[in-house]
Amino acid sequence: MLNVPTQSFPAPSSQQRVSPSGQSGRNKVALKPGHSLMDWIRFAKSGKDLTGLRGRLIEVTEEELQKHNRREDCWTCIRGMVYNVSAYMDYHPGGEEELMKAAGVDGTELFDQVHRWVNYESMLKECLVGRMNLHPSALSILPPPPVTGLASPTSVAPLPDKDSRPRYDWFQTDGTVHLVVYTRRKIPSSGCTTVDLKAGVLRLEVLLGKMSYMIHLLGKLLSSTVHTAFSVGKIQVSIRKGAHGKWASLGQPLESHNTFVRQKDRALLYRDCVLVSKTEVNHNTYLFRLQLPAGTVMHVPVGKHVCLKALVQDVEVVRPYTPVEHIFPAASKNGSQESDLYLMIKVYPGGAFTPHLSSLSVGDGPEGTFSLRPLRDVTNLYLIAAGTGFTPMARLIRAALEDIETIGNTKLLFFNRREEDILWRFELDELAANNGRFQVEHVLSEPSERWTGRKGPVNEPILTELLSRPDGSKCYVCVCGPAAFTELTLGLLKHQGFSEQELHAFQG
């Protein structure tokens, strides 16, 4: 399944935090041997009593929860359910320090900031202690938002000009309904819309920064296409009618219809997808082409990731991946229909997830903290990637060269171990040879004797030599790679004089 995922949950000194302050990080710490995800799945299924309650489920008061706040006796509450996570400490990819932040308290908000897309119910089902016994005074029940009438376009009350909320309108022909969303702001050329049309139910979500606007209704609707006018912030969805003729209304509004909320407050939605093809990129990395269900269109903004979910030994496992184009460099889509997703994934023979890529579900709209907004007046864009950390850079390179005219120089510093590890090397070198605004520097840490390029791990001399700051320029640096690489690189860049506002670390 596919899902497209911020009080500062990872502590400032934590290995899980690799992004500058104000950005969310999701990087892993080094786990002890024998403590991988597959090891946890086997351990959880071993029959050991992980709760200490011998199979009983209990109601837990707030006072009782607070007593279990130590490393060896750690309970936490997520969405009203209490788990004993003591046994999971050494298996947690974010490390013990992060898990202890939720010890003896309700950890729902902290969990959502970093792991909202993770199926904790499946991962921790053997650790379930019971349900939280909440006092009535602690509950706050909000009435559902009023539903907008859909009898005709004029029934939607006009919003004040100063209101930044998106609005929608619709018009029709005998066989087609055209639904138009006015976002009231410029939107990325890579798109920001996800449309699901199934059994007459239309779910249209538009991602605008951290906010989500949704149209959700039931009608006699069939297939759809999406067209976007980026500069004026207009999105048009054309939908074929199930029955020809003039309609008096667009359909029956459902619960989430015409709502504008924070994206993280939306319930996650996964969709089954099919692996159509698997193409070798190098000796251990492949380009996977995933076909979304009929009726689903997903436009993933540059720098955002989607989440895949698979069932591994009866446990739902979720992994984030950044989509790429099927060719590099790709031409701009200009808001056209896109039916398939392309993911560049390194395959590990003993991995918990990659062996199951043939049976997946794709989750809700794209997630991630990256935004093109800071690049609007940037003149020099530097991209520093290690291994498959190149994936978010691929579409960002196209955006910088085609969509952002102020960027006069885009330079990729691509770190790998060996020459055969370099992804899309021919394509990158060809682009650099044919486009004067793009440069690529390959750096190998374990080069062969015939390698004549740059050598070594990421270090201060390499960054000082390759990252210049011309007079009058405005620079921006994006970093992506393993946690240790990203953390070291950010430290070197700050020592070199780059401010936090000039840096972005992609979630790894």
Side-chain angles (χ1 to χ4, degrees):
M1 292 188 178
L2 174 66
N3 181 52
V4 182
T6 56
Q7 179 183 57
S8 185
F9 180 29
S13 60
S14 167
Q15 296 180 61
Q16 188 174 353
R17 173 172 292 282
V18 297
S19 307
S21 60
Q23 300 175 9
S24 64
R26 211 186 37 73
N27 289 268
K28 301 177 181 179
V29 300
L31 296 174
K32 301 175 184 176
H35 288 79
S36 67
L37 172 61
M38 290 303 299
D39 292 319
W40 168 251
I41 292 174
R42 286 190 287 267
F43 180 68
K45 291 180 174 294
S46 65
K48 295 182 182 296
D49 180 11
L50 303 185
T51 65
L53 298 174
R54 299 180 179 179
R56 292 183 299 118
L57 294 178
I58 64 174
E59 283 198 354
V60 182
T61 64
E62 186 175 354
E63 292 77 12
E64 180 65 25
L65 178 64
Q66 291 173 352
K67 296 176 183 177
H68 302 270
N69 61 358
R70 305 188 309 280
R71 164 65 177 82
E72 63 278 6
D73 180 23
C74 182
W75 291 10
T76 190
C77 175
I78 305 177
R79 294 189 177 88
M81 305 304 290
V82 178
Y83 299 88
N84 184 341
V85 296
S86 308
Y88 184 60
M89 284 285 179
D90 291 334
Y91 297 86
H92 182 231
E96 175 184 330
E97 179 183 0
E98 307 309 333
L99 206 53
M100 287 301 296
K101 294 287 184 181
V105 298
D106 189 325
T108 303
E109 183 177 351
L110 302 181
F111 175 86
D112 283 347
Q113 289 169 3
V114 180
H115 301 300
R116 184 174 75 98
W117 38 267
V118 172
N119 191 325
Y120 63 90
E121 297 103 323
S122 180
M123 292 284 292
L124 300 176
K125 62 183 177 182
E126 303 301 332
C127 302
L128 180 62
V129 171
R131 187 179 300 275
M132 193 73 187
N133 182 7
L134 297 174
H135 300 294
S137 59
L139 296 176
S140 176
I141 302 176
L142 299 177
V147 175
T148 302
L150 297 177
S152 68
T154 57
S155 67
V156 181
L159 296 172
D161 290 340
K162 65 180 181 179
D163 194 329
S164 62
R165 285 176 53 93
R167 65 178 183 88
Y168 75 96
D169 202 344
W170 66 281
F171 59 96
Q172 62 180 311
T173 64
D174 279 344
T176 307
V177 169
H178 301 280
L179 180 61
V180 182
V181 176
Y182 301 95
T183 65
R184 303 186 175 217
R185 65 211 78 192
K186 290 183 178 181
I187 52 182
S189 62
S190 53
C192 57
T193 306
T194 300
V195 177
D196 295 286
L197 185 55
K198 183 178 181 181
V201 175
L202 173 68
R203 183 184 186 272
L204 185 155
E205 183 176 17
V206 181
L207 299 181
L208 303 169
K210 296 180 180 179
M211 303 297 290
S212 163
Y213 177 70
M214 184 172 290
I215 292 176
H216 198 198
L217 53 88
L218 173 65
K220 297 178 181 179
L221 305 169
L222 299 178
S223 59
S224 65
T225 57
V226 180
H227 304 278
T228 306
F230 308 112
S231 60
V232 296
K234 173 184 170 183
I235 299 166
Q236 179 172 312
V237 181
S238 299
I239 310 168
R240 187 160 56 91
K241 292 181 178 179
H244 281 232
K246 296 295 183 181
W247 289 2
S249 65
L250 185 55
Q252 176 185 343
L254 301 177
E255 181 181 4
S256 301
H257 180 67
N258 200 27
T259 55
F260 189 47
V261 301
R262 294 178 301 177
Q263 183 194 5
K264 71 184 189 70
D265 292 335
R266 294 276 189 211
L268 294 181
L269 172 68
Y270 282 87
R271 308 153 184 87
D272 291 332
C273 59
V274 177
L275 177 62
V276 177
S277 65
K278 173 183 173 183
T279 305
E280 182 176 303
V281 179
N282 67 12
H283 63 100
N284 61 6
T285 303
Y286 297 84
L287 188 66
F288 291 84
R289 178 185 177 188
L290 303 178
Q291 186 178 71
L292 295 167
T296 294
V297 178
M298 181 176 290
H299 292 168
V300 182
V302 171
K304 303 293 186 181
H305 62 262
V306 297
C307 291
L308 302 185
K309 180 171 72 173
L311 196 62
V312 181
Q313 295 187 17
D314 297 326
V315 174
E316 289 185 347
V317 178
V318 182
R319 289 287 185 268
Y321 294 103
T322 303
V324 297
E325 310 297 351
H326 69 287
I327 57 174
F328 179 86
S332 175
K333 294 192 185 74
N334 294 321
S336 64
Q337 186 92 342
E338 177 63 22
S339 57
D340 296 336
L341 282 174
Y342 294 86
L343 303 175
M344 188 179 289
I345 300 175
K346 186 175 182 178
V347 175
Y348 298 91
F353 192 82
T354 48
H356 301 269
L357 284 172
S358 58
S359 57
L360 295 169
S361 295
V362 171
D364 241 355
E367 296 195 0
T369 60
F370 180 77
S371 170
L372 290 173
R373 187 180 299 272
L375 303 184
R376 287 180 177 176
D377 54 352
V378 164
T379 59
N380 292 68
L381 176 63
Y382 297 114
L383 310 175
I384 306 176
T388 51
F390 165 72
T391 55
M393 309 304 187
R395 296 177 72 211
L396 182 51
I397 290 170
R398 186 207 60 76
L401 297 180
E402 292 190 12
D403 300 337
I404 309 176
E405 296 180 354
T406 60
I407 298 179
N409 179 42
T410 298
K411 179 182 286 189
L412 171 67
L413 278 59
F414 199 0
F415 290 82
N416 286 279
R417 293 176 61 194
R418 297 180 295 270
E419 197 169 350
E420 59 266 30
D421 295 329
I422 302 174
L423 301 172
W424 275 343
R425 181 185 179 184
F426 173 80
E427 291 83 354
L428 287 167
D429 291 345
E430 185 177 45
L431 178 62
N434 296 329
N435 193 315
R437 296 172 58 209
F438 177 72
Q439 298 173 271
V440 59
E441 294 281 354
H442 300 292
V443 186
L444 301 184
S445 59
E446 299 177 11
S448 65
E449 292 182 358
R450 67 176 183 274
W451 177 254
T452 59
R454 298 182 184 277
K455 306 173 184 178
V458 62
N459 55 50
E460 189 167 9
I462 287 179
L463 296 184
T464 300
E465 179 183 356
L466 298 179
L467 273 61
S468 62
R469 300 180 68 109
D471 292 340
S473 65
K474 182 172 182 181
C475 300
Y476 198 80
V477 187
C478 295
V479 183
C480 189
F485 172 89
T486 305
E487 191 168 11
L488 172 60
T489 303
L490 289 176
L492 293 173
L493 291 170
K494 291 177 181 178
H495 187 261
Q496 196 169 321
F498 288 94
S499 67
E500 290 190 348
Q501 290 70 34
E502 296 174 309
L503 302 174
H504 177 84
F506 285 100
Q507 299 175 349

